[in-house]
Structures are given as C-alpha cells and as structure tokens.
Amino acid sequence: MQTIPALLETRLRAAVTEPCEVPLCVTPASDTRFGDYQTNAAMLLAKTRRANPRAVAQEILSQLQTDDICSTVEIAGAGFLNFTMRPDWIQERVEKLRSDSTFGVPQPATPRCIVIDFSSPNVAKPMHVGHIRSTILGDSLARVATFIGHRVIRDNHIGDWGTQFGMLLHGWKTILDAVALDHDPLAEMERIYKNVSARCKEDAAVLDAAKHELVRLQAGDTENLALWHEMIRLSQSQFDSIYGRLEIKFDFTLGESFYNKRLKPVVEELRSKGIARESDGAVCVFSDGQFPQEQDPFLIKDKDGWRDNPALVLKSDGAANYTTTDLATLQYRIETWHPDEIVYVTDGRQQLHFRQFFAIFKRWQPEAAEHVKCSHVWFGSILGDDGKPFKTRSGETIRLADLLDEAEERSFAQVSERNPTLSEEERREIARIIGIGAVKYADLLPHRQGDYVFSWDRMLSFQGNTAPYLQNAYVRIRSIFRKLGEAGAVWDQDQPISLEQPTELALGKRLLQFGEVLPLVLVDHRPNTLANYLYELANTFHAFYEACPVLKSEGSQRASRLALCELSARLLKTGLQLLGIEVPDRM
Ligand code: ARG
C-alpha cells in the first residue's frame, strides 16, 4: 500500500507544470485542526522562482487533482497547502488495512541487505548494564528492517581476542579459585583479570609473565588455546542465558578472533597503498587533508592549534588492534554478504573510532565505499538518580542478569497485588513479560543520543508512556472480546468498518499512520519513533473507547467497532513485538 504522503506527493508533482528542482514533501499536519497533511512545496518553489509563495500555492491548487481522496485542500499562512482527507476514502483504506499483512507498510522496490553489528560484549567479563542499550536497540532495528522486507544479518562481534587474554591466562594458571569458577564463572574470570591487571601496573615480573602467555597464545600453544576456548565457552553460555531472557537471536557470532588471519594482510595493503605509514615504531593512518580541519578525524585541536591524531593499525609491539580488526571484519562482510548497509550499534564514546575507521575504509576501498553505507548508531549513557553513571549502592557496575532479575521481582510484587487469586506460575509469567518489557521500553523511548535516568518506578508505572501502559491497552482490548465470548455473542467479521464518530475517524487515521512511521525508524535508526507512535495509538484508542460504546452498541455498528478494536490490538501487539516486547493476555 502506498502511504498517504507518497500518494499526495505524486499528485503534487503532476500539478507542478514547470520543471521543478525542489523535493515536494508532504508531512503530517503540525496542527490537525487545519488538516491531516501539509506541504511547504509552494514556498520552496516560490523561492527558486522568486515568486510570491501564496500565488505559487494558488497555481498548484488550480492544477491539483485530489477530489477522489481529499475533502479540502487549503492555502494557509505564508503558502502552506493543507490537505484534509475524505472520511469515506479513509474508511476504505482502513478496511483494506484489516487484511494487509504489513499494516500498510510499503514493501521496498529492491530489498536491501543490512548487516547489524550489535550487543558485542567482551569475553570473560560479565555483561553489564552498559551492554543493554546496544543489545536492545540493535535487536529492534533488526526486527523493523526484517518486517519492512529487507534481508537482515545479525552479527554479534564479541571481543574474544586481545591483550587481556595474556592477563587472564596468567591469572588462570596462578590464582584461579576452582570452586568460585564453578559457581559463577564470569565473576571469577573478572576477579582474576582485575587482580592481574592491577599487579601488572606495579610489578614488571607480572607484566612480563602476562605478555609471555599472550605470545604463547598467539603462537598457537595448545594449552593456552584450550584455556582460551574454555573462557569463550563459559562466557558464551552466560551471554546466551541473557539473550534467551531478552529473546534476542543472532545469525552469526564470529567474534574478533575470526579475523586474525586477515589482520597482517590488511596492514600490508594499507602500507602499500600509501594509506598507512610507520611512526614511532607503530603503523598509523594520518590525515590526507581531504576534510576541512574541523571535520578531519585524524586531527585534533589543542592550545597550540591543530595536530595529528592518527589511527593506529599496528602497535609498536607488532600487534594489530580494534581498528585493524574492524577493517578486516568489514572486508570479510563485503566479500561474504555483499551488504548495502552495515550498522554498528555502540556507545557514544566510540565515535572517534568509527569516524576514523570509516574514513580509512573510503581511502582503502573507494569503490566499495560508494555502495556500502556504514552507519555508526551510537547512544548515550544510563544514569542513576544522582545523574552519575548508573551503579549499585556500593558503586559497582550493575550486572545485566541482576538488573533483569530485579525487573521481574518488582513486577511480580505488583502483579501479585493486583491479581492475588492467580497461580504463582501465572503471576511469574506475567511479571516476566511486564518486567523485561519495561526495561526494554525505557531504553528505547528516549532519543538514543541522550543520556537517560534509570527509574524503576517510572518504567513500571501503568501511567504515562511506558511498556505496562501499552501492554495494558492491549490487554483491555482483548478483554472486550473475552466479554463478548462470555456473553455468548457473535461478531460478524465480514461487516465493513464504518467511521461515523469523530473519534472513530481519528482512530482510523491513526491506524493508517503506521505505514508512514515505521520506515522512518530505519532512516535515522531510532526505534523511539515507533515507541511514540504506539503511545499515540493507545491514546487515540482510549479516546474512541470512551466516546463510543462497543459492546453496548448493536448490529453493524457493533461489528464495525469490534473490527476497529481488533485491528488496534493487533497493531499494538505487532508494534511492541518490533520493539522486542511481548504482550500478556491479562495483567
Ligand atoms: N566489543 C566492543 C565493546 O564492548 C564492541 C564492538 C562493536 N563492534 C565493532 N565492530 N567494533 O566495546
């Protein structure tokens, strides 16, 4: 189904007789009292033609053919055109929506292949609250892209290689507590890592021992390789338990070590192409002067002016690093999957890394860079009440597993208070759906580039823009159908929808907006666009439900209203699923 803005844009283009260089965009009306959609096309055209905007608007209007879809088109303000859609036409489209499997989302003419690199925790470290954003955002983007009809590849680029393994191996061989490892492998691995890393700073002998273990691992020593595999296995099983709870799936978990063989050739190629050169024993990429200084990722400004800020691709000890690995990974992904876009979901502190890495890619593989869009989708931090990074009371980072436990526990207390008669099993299941949903929604709702304050009370509240509010909206609609069944009444599903009351028409228009809103999520990689839409949908539904009796109405009117209820519930459920959130049957 073509969206209404797209349809109006086609009509607009046909009405503009002279050749036109400006984009003719139709957007939802900023004030719905004056129409449903608007365009500033006449104003833009007037600028290029040096004409009066209202006169241009008048000229367009005289050519515009929209009688079949609009009840009025009016000129407003400095030269806006406001469109009000015909109620009978809206009604027909809503009726079509009932049997449209994508709820009005237009299918892409050519589906794109999108690789989403998300979550990507590091081996031997517990996943903490910082990983939640990448995991939840990346998953939602993948769900939306798949729903729209793109080919999506979910790749978990776990950190399973690097200098930390020297310290881990040394710690494993000297101070490992087998009982503790058995009890909580990641906590024990974290403990030995912290212990050795602290001692490395003070004691050259420990540092040497750790380096020695790393060299042996890199050289393929059997014992060290086996221990390294064991560390990965233990970590992966903890990651998997969290992914299971969050219902997150990956197509690949290749990890950084998968690219080891490609690292040296990448560095060699960068050198031979003159992109990287030696500097102080390391191999680095410097500015090539193609960007203005303010935008150059290889320059940095200090009090003495601009100076070099090169990207290392080989450290002075001969080891490749994060940037080298990302270049090799990109090469592999392009060769293997031929993607149109690669999306990297990480926190905002990695912005410089990605700017440098993308700039190196353009210099290294200019043709590929023309075709493959690379997007760094970054996000801000989660803060505690005090406005500082969210920590436990004793100042430790919060483990994701503990956070999810607490979400379910708090939600369980609420559910039990509301539904004391349900069995414990049922209450646990509802609490799980609400608790996990609340955490996810609270994370997806704010603009991703801002920081947000973590608040249990707010995210678990049934009031306001929260997951429980939306889940409850769904549950309440479902209960209408339960009551219908209990009363032994039947619903004639073949009766068409008829939008008579203003709140019915408003709901119909809101349902039709889904097809416009969903594609926007992928434009700037912001699932909060969808979250806000669902909140508005729930509010529009409530306004309708308050004004229009459903079960107490009769005949074709009741059938039409039931159909509106059913469609609203289905859309709420689908929208929440695209955010990775489930809905309970009752709550
Ligand atoms: N493991 C990294 C971290 O925890 C994130 C990796 C993101 N992906 C990438 N291709 N660089 O910070």
Side-chain angles (χ1 to χ4, degrees):
M1 209 190 263
Q2 206 180 13
T3 64
I4 300 178
L7 197 59
L8 289 171
E9 281 161 18
T10 317
R11 302 290 176 96
L12 209 52
R13 217 165 296 127
V16 176
T17 37
E18 277 178 57
C20 133
E21 349 32 64
V22 296
L24 306 174
C25 290
V26 174
T27 54
S30 44
D31 186 336
T32 47
R33 280 175 306 172
F34 306 120
D36 299 319
Y37 294 90
Q38 65 185 41
T39 181
N40 63 355
M43 289 141 88
L44 295 178
L45 275 173
K47 219 182 221 162
T48 61
R49 295 180 188 169
R50 293 170 196 276
N52 176 325
R54 284 187 72 100
V56 175
Q58 189 57 56
E59 196 188 307
I60 297 178
L61 197 58
S62 68
Q63 297 296 320
L64 195 66
Q65 294 190 357
T66 48
D67 287 351
D68 55 333
I69 59 176
C70 293
S71 50
T72 57
V73 185
E74 283 169 348
I75 302 173
F80 281 103
L81 283 172
N82 288 339
F83 306 89
T84 303
M85 310 315 291
R86 286 173 60 143
D88 57 340
W89 184 75
I90 289 287
Q91 184 174 296
E92 245 171 68
R93 277 178 78 92
V94 176
E95 184 58 35
K96 284 195 196 122
L97 208 57
R98 289 177 72 187
S99 54
D100 183 344
S101 60
T102 64
F103 295 99
V105 176
Q107 297 298 288
T110 35
R112 291 156 21 93
C113 171
I114 309 175
V115 175
I116 306 190
D117 172 325
F118 71 107
S119 195
S120 310
N122 297 321
V123 163
K125 283 190 192 157
M127 275 174 92
H128 57 78
V129 62
H131 289 111
I132 200 172
R133 301 209 75 182
S134 173
T135 309
I136 291 173
L137 254 166
D139 176 58
S140 174
L141 292 172
R143 286 171 190 255
V144 171
T146 308
F147 183 87
I148 290 181
H150 298 297
R151 177 174 160 235
V152 175
I153 295 175
R154 299 156 158 259
D155 190 4
N156 193 0
H157 190 69
I158 55 169
D160 62 358
W161 198 251
T163 42
Q164 72 271 29
F165 285 98
M167 300 185 203
L168 280 161
L169 284 164
H170 177 66
W172 190 287
K173 291 179 183 179
T174 53
I175 54 167
L176 188 73
D177 177 340
V179 179
L181 186 76
D182 199 40
H183 177 67
D184 187 346
L186 280 154
E188 178 58 6
M189 285 194 272
E190 192 183 33
R191 183 190 72 82
I192 62 175
Y193 173 74
K194 282 191 178 156
N195 176 301
V196 176
S197 133
R199 282 190 292 135
C200 278
K201 292 195 183 96
E202 290 151 15
D203 189 341
V206 180
L207 185 64
D208 269 353
K211 277 191 181 157
H212 179 66
E213 296 295 355
L214 186 67
V215 170
R216 283 181 56 194
L217 174 69
Q218 286 165 339
D221 173 82
T222 344
E223 184 194 5
N224 279 10
L225 270 181
L227 291 179
W228 171 70
H229 277 300
E230 179 64 1
M231 291 181 205
I232 295 178
R233 191 187 63 81
L234 290 170
S235 307
Q236 188 67 53
S237 85
Q238 187 238 4
F239 301 157
D240 287 344
S241 104
I242 290 193
Y243 295 140
R245 292 178 75 177
L246 294 173
E247 286 211 81
I248 306 253
K249 294 199 173 70
F250 294 94
D251 300 303
F252 296 95
T253 300
L254 297 178
E256 295 184 12
S257 67
F258 181 77
Y259 305 97
N260 282 347
K261 279 207 259 354
R262 290 176 177 256
L263 301 177
K264 291 278 152 67
V266 167
V267 176
E268 275 325 303
E269 209 183 317
L270 292 176
R271 285 173 83 138
S272 69
K273 287 189 170 169
I275 298 164
R277 63 179 156 85
E278 210 165 303
S279 165
D280 290 333
V283 179
C284 309
V285 178
F286 287 88
S287 168
D288 64 352
Q290 63 162 309
F291 295 105
Q293 284 169 328
E294 300 72 36
Q295 287 161 29
D296 193 325
F298 305 102
L299 292 181
I300 191 167
K301 196 176 186 176
D302 63 15
K303 59 180 184 346
D304 304 320
W306 293 97
R307 61 181 175 78
D308 284 325
N309 185 29
L312 257 65
V313 290
L314 200 67
K315 295 189 280 186
S316 51
D317 63 5
N321 66 2
Y322 193 50
T323 306
T324 334
T325 310
D326 261 331
L327 288 163
T329 307
L330 181 56
Q331 182 187 51
Y332 173 84
R333 288 173 176 166
I334 293 175
E335 281 172 18
T336 316
W337 299 318
H338 312 288
D340 298 290
E341 182 174 4
I342 304 182
V343 175
Y344 298 84
V345 191
T346 84
D347 76 68
R349 286 169 303 185
Q350 298 196 27
Q351 284 176 81
L352 178 64
H353 162 74
F354 281 99
R355 286 174 55 221
Q356 291 188 328
F357 157 44
F358 294 166
I360 299 173
F361 171 48
K362 286 202 179 112
R363 279 154 71 177
W364 175 37
Q365 300 194 26
E367 313 85 61
E370 288 273 307
H371 301 111
V372 185
K373 178 178 168 199
C374 290
S375 312
H376 181 211
V377 172
W378 60 270
F379 49 82
S381 314
I382 306 182
L383 307 177
D385 290 337
D386 53 1
K388 299 206 183 96
F390 188 39
K391 296 264 165 74
T392 61
R393 264 197 212 110
S394 54
E396 321 251 326
T397 46
I398 296 179
R399 296 176 62 165
L400 197 42
D402 297 339
L403 187 90
L404 299 181
D405 288 347
E406 184 164 352
E408 291 187 26
E409 266 328 305
R410 282 177 181 259
S411 162
F412 180 67
Q414 286 185 345
V415 175
S416 300
E417 211 178 290
R418 279 195 311 270
N419 303 290
T421 54
L422 288 183
S423 74
E424 163 149 10
E425 195 189 340
E426 275 175 293
R427 281 179 285 137
R428 290 259 170 234
E429 176 60 4
I430 298 171
R432 180 188 70 76
I433 294 174
I434 299 179
I436 304 283
V439 169
K440 287 190 178 187
Y441 194 80
D443 199 72
L444 290 169
L445 181 64
H447 188 297
R448 65 176 160 80
Q449 291 176 348
D451 298 340
Y452 77 90
V453 175
F454 193 93
S455 159
W456 286 118
D457 291 341
R458 195 170 341 117
M459 73 178 70
L460 286 168
S461 167
F462 275 53
Q463 311 299 321
N465 194 351
T466 65
Y469 173 76
L470 294 175
Q471 289 167 325
N472 195 38
Y474 171 82
V475 166
R476 282 171 58 184
I477 307 178
R478 292 312 314 166
S479 76
I480 300 172
F481 289 91
R482 223 181 0 252
K483 282 191 202 127
L484 185 76
E486 282 161 12
V490 280
W491 162 35
D492 177 7
Q493 301 199 28
D494 295 333
Q495 268 302 325
I497 284 180
S498 121
L499 304 172
E500 276 147 28
Q501 296 299 317
T503 53
E504 290 177 309
L505 185 61
L507 179 57
K509 287 178 180 174
R510 184 70 77 200
L511 290 164
L512 289 175
Q513 279 172 1
F514 182 72
E516 301 162 29
V517 168
L518 199 68
L520 299 180
V521 171
L522 294 190
V523 173
D524 47 11
H525 308 101
R526 290 202 294 120
N528 67 335
T529 314
L530 172 60
N532 283 316
Y533 167 79
L534 294 176
Y535 180 59
E536 280 167 11
L537 173 61
N539 289 337
T540 316
F541 179 82
H542 286 149
F544 149 78
Y545 195 59
E546 237 146 64
C548 301
V550 176
L551 290 176
K552 292 212 173 85
S553 59
E554 280 167 16
S556 60
Q557 185 175 59
R558 188 173 73 168
S560 157
R561 287 181 180 172
L562 283 169
L564 275 177
C565 290
E566 190 275 339
L567 186 54
S568 302
R570 207 150 36 92
L571 194 48
L572 270 174
K573 181 177 176 170
T574 304
L576 284 169
Q577 268 168 354
L578 292 174
L579 299 175
I581 298 171
E582 294 171 72
V583 284
D585 289 329
R586 56 168 72 203
M587 54 198 283

